[in-house]
Amino acid sequence: MSGELPPNINIKEPRWDQSTFVGRANHFFTVTDPRNILLTNEQLENSRKVVHDYRQGIIPAGLTENELWRAKYVYDSAFHPDTGEKMILIGRMSAQVPMNMTITGCMMTFYRTTPAVIFWQWINQSFNAIVNYTNRSGDAPLTVNELGTAYVSATTGAVATALGLNALTKHVSPLIGRFVPFAAVAAANCINIPLMRQRELKVGIPVTDEHGTRLGESTSAAKQAITQVVISRILMAAPGMAIPPFIMNTLEKKAFLKRFPWMSAPIQVTLVGFCLVFATPLCCALFPQKSSMSVTSLEADLQASIQRSHPELQRVYFNKGL
């Protein structure tokens, strides 16, 4: 073994303390860094090699701790944690901000006509389906049928919500109409995420003790995890879809946009992007990735099993997903 680094740095866990909001925010600012999508295949493979070598006790000469952590986060940004496969580019967490700012900006610019609503809601839900499939759990992989059901249901729900609210807001302030896309996205998240994770609601998700020892599967934990993810996703979209409408409503009354109406979409996309750069990691950090719940909140049979094997245990832990 060569090099100056100790061999016992736990790169399976995040670098920052995940029991605090600041620690989780630091972690997700790194995970969602849009610059990672610009990395070449050679850079990705080099990072994978550094991570795999370190896990086997092979430390290249001159490798620093900062370089090791950088390699770990580059590796995590591009390779699936369960399968090890390279993920689809637009499905990676680092693509969330550039993809969402473009799609959301266009949804909020072209929301007045039925064809535009249908097209952009369809594009948004297609992107969501790719993200959900790319980041699927290796422990409970999605079937094509489950993916298709969630995709069609979320798209239908989003379009129906958007068209219904558009009809209701025709005779109110134009500012109110600008919030229709946000309502549609919120409704779609409430449909899409539970459907994408329906298997977890049926059979449960793995729960462990604080040391990672698997204790069983819990549907109660799955419900808590999915609720937290839905809340995070809706709040993630909120700043980018709630702040720009006020700004755009003011700008469209000015001479500049009346003279250059084609600038409306680029300005809206830029505003949404600025909001998402901060909202995406901060809302991912709202709840710990390794969530927990009291043993007494679990199903009766699982409670009984845990009390027999671990009578002193008060809380169990589980991965809430993203």
Side-chain angles (χ1 to χ4, degrees):
M1 188 185 301
S2 61
E4 302 170 355
L5 270 183
N8 58 348
I9 297 174
N10 186 8
I11 57 173
K12 290 183 178 179
E13 297 293 332
R15 185 174 191 176
W16 296 276
D17 180 7
Q18 296 299 285
S19 65
T20 68
F21 176 76
V22 172
R24 295 194 297 271
N26 279 326
H27 168 68
F28 281 109
F29 267 109
T30 306
V31 168
T32 62
D33 187 344
R35 293 174 297 178
N36 285 338
I37 63 174
L38 302 177
L39 296 171
T40 64
N41 282 331
E42 183 181 359
Q43 289 172 306
L44 296 178
E45 292 300 331
N46 284 342
S47 293
R48 176 158 71 169
K49 185 176 187 305
V50 168
V51 169
H52 283 190
D53 284 353
Y54 184 82
R55 286 174 178 170
Q56 294 170 20
I58 304 169
I59 305 175
L63 182 70
T64 66
E65 185 172 348
N66 283 338
E67 289 171 342
L68 175 64
W69 282 111
R70 172 62 182 158
K72 175 255 192 313
Y73 275 105
V74 167
Y75 172 76
D76 287 351
S77 77
F79 296 93
H80 194 280
D82 294 323
T83 66
E85 296 174 355
K86 191 178 292 182
M87 295 184 286
I88 303 166
L89 182 65
I90 63 171
R92 300 173 192 171
M93 287 303 292
S94 51
Q96 288 291 292
V97 170
M99 290 299 297
N100 273 323
M101 66 183 278
T102 304
I103 295 170
T104 304
C106 289
M107 275 198 298
M108 296 177 66
T109 302
F110 310 109
Y111 66 93
R112 293 183 175 92
T113 67
T114 298
V117 168
I118 293 173
F119 177 75
W120 285 107
Q121 291 294 341
W122 168 67
I123 289 290
N124 187 47
Q125 293 310 317
S126 298
F127 171 64
N128 285 342
I130 291 171
V131 171
N132 287 326
Y133 180 76
T134 303
N135 294 280
R136 67 198 182 281
S137 169
D139 204 33
L142 289 167
T143 66
V144 174
N145 187 50
E146 289 169 341
L147 187 67
T149 301
Y151 173 55
V152 172
S153 301
T155 303
T156 303
V159 170
T161 303
L163 292 179
L165 290 176
N166 267 350
L168 291 173
T169 56
K170 279 182 179 177
H171 306 295
V172 298
S173 163
L175 179 60
I176 302 296
R178 289 183 181 276
F179 289 94
V180 168
F182 175 54
V185 167
N189 276 328
C190 292
I191 298 168
N192 195 359
I193 296 170
L195 280 173
M196 280 290 181
R197 299 177 65 173
Q198 58 185 288
R199 182 174 296 182
E200 298 174 24
L201 292 170
K202 292 174 184 174
V203 303
I205 57 176
V207 294
T208 69
D209 62 15
E210 60 183 353
H211 304 296
T213 304
R214 191 162 173 160
L215 303 170
E217 286 75 36
S218 168
T219 55
S220 297
K223 290 173 187 174
Q224 179 175 307
I226 291 169
T227 300
Q228 290 178 346
V229 171
V230 169
I231 292 169
S232 293
R233 292 278 190 98
I234 292 174
L235 292 178
M236 195 183 296
M241 302 189 85
I243 297 172
F246 291 103
I247 299 173
M248 293 304 298
N249 204 52
T250 302
L251 289 178
E252 287 186 355
K253 296 173 183 175
K254 306 292 184 184
F256 176 76
L257 276 185
K258 287 181 178 177
R259 187 178 177 187
F260 304 104
W262 58 270
M263 284 294 294
S264 180
I267 291 173
Q268 189 113 250
V269 167
T270 303
L271 289 171
V272 171
F274 179 78
C275 293
L276 284 174
V277 164
F278 299 97
T280 300
L282 292 177
C283 289
C284 281
L286 284 176
F287 303 102
Q289 189 66 35
K290 187 179 180 181
S291 289
S292 68
M293 67 190 306
S294 170
V295 170
T296 57
S297 299
L298 299 171
E299 301 89 317
D301 57 341
L302 183 56
Q303 277 189 54
S305 171
I306 291 173
Q307 285 165 0
R308 284 195 302 270
S309 59
H310 298 75
E312 304 299 321
L313 195 65
Q314 299 295 315
R315 299 191 71 79
V316 294
Y317 299 85
F318 53 90
N319 179 9
K320 73 172 175 63
L322 286 173

